[in-house]
Amino acid sequence: MLDRLDKWFEGHGYYFVRYADDFQIYAKSEAKAKKIMDKTTAFIEKRLKLVVNQEKSAIGKIDGRSFLGFKLASKPEKADIRITKAAVKSFKDKVRKKTKRNRGKSIFWVISDLNRLIRGWCQYFGIADVTSVWKRLDAWIRRRLRCYRIKQRKRKYSIMTFVKGRGVSKQAAWNYALSDDGWWRRAYHPTVHKALSNRWFKRAGLLSLVEIRSRVKTRFETAVCDIARTVV
């Protein structure tokens, strides 16, 4: 039934995006947005015989609106596509769950498990203009994995032999193993960065959000707008 709504939007030349019964329409001014809202509400209720949820319907600047984990940041010439903080938090929560030490899995198994999450999340959000976010998340995921691997060693002697076996000098390995820092702080230490370098993770098969995003070919034009409305 909502296919009729899509055709009606297209027939009026509206810029819109819809998923199921959730959609946004973009206009160049607040006055035009109000007219579109009134016409759309009338069409939905009178022609489609559906009820519009007035509590979730609103007019506002695009900077304050989100849609399916995305948001738009307005600029003079265009609107950049961003990822909401809630979507990033949800992703990080999933990564935390997969990198808990009590899983009892090898780091290679964990990397394989993470790759499915990384690939799917990046393919979904790959159209977003947030290179800095991809880089920060890549670094954060590697730190989670370093923390996971070091915590698996548990005892100081075991930690020392592990990092020493990964090319760290014996003295530096002992200094690291005897540190009183917490696990998360240890995962940021140069010693473990040398033992489990970025290159090591790449050889181990860990996918990079930055690299996947660069291969995402999907592109679309974003309407120049500053007013958004959502109807559920």
Side-chain angles (χ1 to χ4, degrees):
M1 179 179 289
L2 291 180
D3 289 343
R4 292 176 58 192
L5 182 61
D6 293 342
K7 293 178 180 179
W8 186 79
F9 285 154
E10 293 168 357
H12 284 75
Y14 295 158
Y15 293 106
F16 74 97
V17 59
R18 181 179 70 82
Y19 179 79
D21 61 350
D22 189 13
F23 62 86
Q24 292 187 351
I25 309 171
Y26 305 102
K28 293 183 178 180
S29 68
E30 184 173 358
K32 187 172 183 178
K34 289 179 179 178
K35 292 180 180 179
I36 292 174
M37 185 174 188
D38 292 340
K39 291 175 65 175
T40 301
T41 300
F43 178 81
I44 291 173
E45 294 185 340
K46 295 179 180 179
R47 297 285 294 278
L48 301 183
K49 306 299 182 184
L50 298 174
V51 178
V52 174
N53 188 331
Q54 297 295 340
E55 292 183 359
K56 294 185 177 181
S57 300
I59 295 174
K61 298 287 185 179
I62 61 171
D63 289 359
R65 313 297 295 181
S66 63
F67 187 75
L68 301 177
F70 292 97
K71 63 181 180 179
L72 296 176
S74 61
K75 290 186 175 182
E77 298 299 326
K78 65 173 184 176
D80 283 344
I81 304 172
R82 304 288 175 85
I83 305 173
T84 64
K85 291 182 179 179
V88 173
K89 181 181 182 301
S90 176
F91 174 73
K92 294 179 77 171
D93 286 344
K94 292 175 182 177
V95 172
R96 288 188 182 97
K97 185 176 181 180
K98 291 180 180 295
T99 53
K100 285 185 177 180
R101 189 185 68 180
N102 59 10
R103 298 193 77 188
K105 302 290 186 180
S106 74
I107 193 168
F108 300 104
W109 190 96
V110 173
I111 286 173
S112 178
D113 192 32
L114 273 174
N115 280 344
R116 289 188 285 271
L117 173 63
I118 291 170
R119 185 182 293 108
W121 198 80
C122 194
Q123 286 178 347
Y124 180 79
F125 286 106
I127 59 175
D129 306 307
V130 286
T131 302
S132 60
V133 173
W134 305 124
K135 290 181 178 179
R136 287 198 300 270
L137 286 175
D138 271 343
W140 180 81
I141 289 170
R142 289 192 296 267
R143 187 175 179 182
R144 287 289 307 180
L145 287 169
R146 290 183 181 109
C147 186
Y148 178 88
R149 188 68 184 96
I150 293 301
K151 286 172 72 176
Q152 279 188 322
R153 305 302 294 190
K154 298 181 181 180
R155 300 182 183 279
K156 294 178 180 179
Y157 182 77
S158 180
I159 292 173
M160 187 279 294
T161 57
F162 172 72
V163 295
K164 181 175 177 291
R166 297 291 314 150
V168 176
S169 69
K170 186 175 181 179
Q171 184 60 54
W174 268 120
N175 290 341
Y176 179 74
L178 295 173
S179 172
D180 292 328
D181 290 337
W183 295 112
W184 184 241
R185 189 178 181 86
R186 285 189 183 191
Y188 193 66
H189 196 280
T191 297
V192 76
H193 271 255
K194 182 176 181 179
L196 297 172
S197 66
N198 293 0
R199 184 177 298 180
W200 183 89
F201 281 115
K202 189 169 185 177
R203 290 199 302 267
L206 178 66
L207 295 179
S208 164
L209 287 164
V210 171
E211 291 182 3
I212 296 175
R213 197 269 176 178
S214 69
R215 296 195 296 267
V216 174
K217 303 298 182 181
T218 304
R219 294 291 185 271
F220 66 91
E221 295 182 357
T222 303
V224 177
C225 55
D226 60 1
I227 302 294
R229 166 188 176 252
T230 304
V231 177
V232 178

